[in-house]
Amino acid sequence: MLKDNFLREQRAINETKIKDYTLKLCKKHIKGKGAKREEKVRFLSAITPKGVVSFEETIFKYTNTPIIIKDIYGAVSNEILKEIRLFALNKGFRVLCFKNPFLPQYLEHIVIPELNFAVVTENNFIHFNTDARRVHLERFIDKEKLNIKRLKY
């Protein structure tokens, strides 16, 4: 069910808005050249017999003010994070990519330690207790392509 909703949301994405927003975000926060181009892939959350376990406090070891994308299904945040990842790697930065435990082929969070910069996804399983800026996914969705009534929770 989660993957169905992810795919439905993905089909309704306005790619132009995402690319414009992400480029603006990257130019503002990812300046200069990194010391060592490197990518590390990790998980911040896991599915266990006790339910979903999340270690969101790990993000705060790298930044005090992450940018938080509120995205229940993760399709919008995945597209934004992919763009940020490419931009940062092309600038030569070390990038920590955190995968989605339900859909591990997709990104859920990204951290650039050298810049104290992070963009994270907030959903039903992971919540960040901070007053940090939140970006709502609705602005990147073409509502005509998305039939809200058909989303399953």
Side-chain angles (χ1 to χ4, degrees):
M1 193 176 339
L2 185 62
K3 186 165 186 170
D4 292 341
N5 290 337
F6 178 96
L7 295 172
R8 191 171 289 118
E9 183 180 278
Q10 192 175 43
R11 286 190 294 270
I13 288 174
N14 183 321
E15 291 182 30
T16 303
K17 284 184 179 181
I18 284 181
K19 288 193 183 292
D20 290 347
Y21 171 79
T22 306
L23 183 60
K24 183 179 167 185
L25 184 72
C26 287
K27 286 182 176 180
K28 181 178 178 180
H29 294 282
I30 306 173
K31 296 180 181 177
K33 293 281 182 193
K36 182 181 180 188
R37 182 182 198 258
E38 179 182 32
E39 178 180 21
K40 300 249 181 188
V41 178
R42 303 276 188 268
F43 286 92
L44 195 66
S45 304
I47 304 164
T48 72
K50 294 181 180 181
V52 177
V53 176
S54 183
F55 300 96
E56 61 272 359
E57 65 276 359
T58 302
I59 295 295
F60 295 100
K61 292 179 181 177
Y62 299 102
T63 182
N64 292 331
T65 55
I67 295 172
I68 301 169
I69 302 171
K70 290 189 65 79
D71 188 357
I72 295 171
Y73 304 112
V76 171
S77 59
N78 179 63
E79 294 302 314
I80 291 171
L81 295 171
K82 284 189 327 189
E83 295 289 325
I84 293 169
R85 175 190 162 275
L86 284 175
F87 191 92
L89 287 171
N90 287 337
K91 289 273 207 161
F93 288 99
R94 179 173 168 244
V95 178
L96 304 179
C97 297
F98 295 92
K99 297 286 190 160
N100 182 322
F102 294 99
L103 303 166
Q105 64 271 36
Y106 301 110
L107 292 172
E108 193 168 46
H109 318 290
I110 195 164
V111 174
I112 305 169
E114 194 174 341
L115 300 175
N116 298 320
F117 179 66
V119 179
V120 297
T121 304
E122 188 171 74
N123 55 41
N124 293 344
F125 304 103
I126 186 166
H127 180 75
F128 293 90
N129 293 317
T130 177
D131 291 332
R133 175 178 160 206
R134 282 176 168 72
V135 178
H136 296 271
L137 72 97
E138 291 83 16
R139 65 195 265 198
F140 304 109
I141 296 290
D142 182 344
K143 291 181 176 76
E144 290 178 11
K145 291 181 183 176
L146 181 68
N147 184 346
I148 303 266
K149 293 177 186 172
R150 301 196 77 180
L151 288 177
K152 302 170 190 164
Y153 292 93

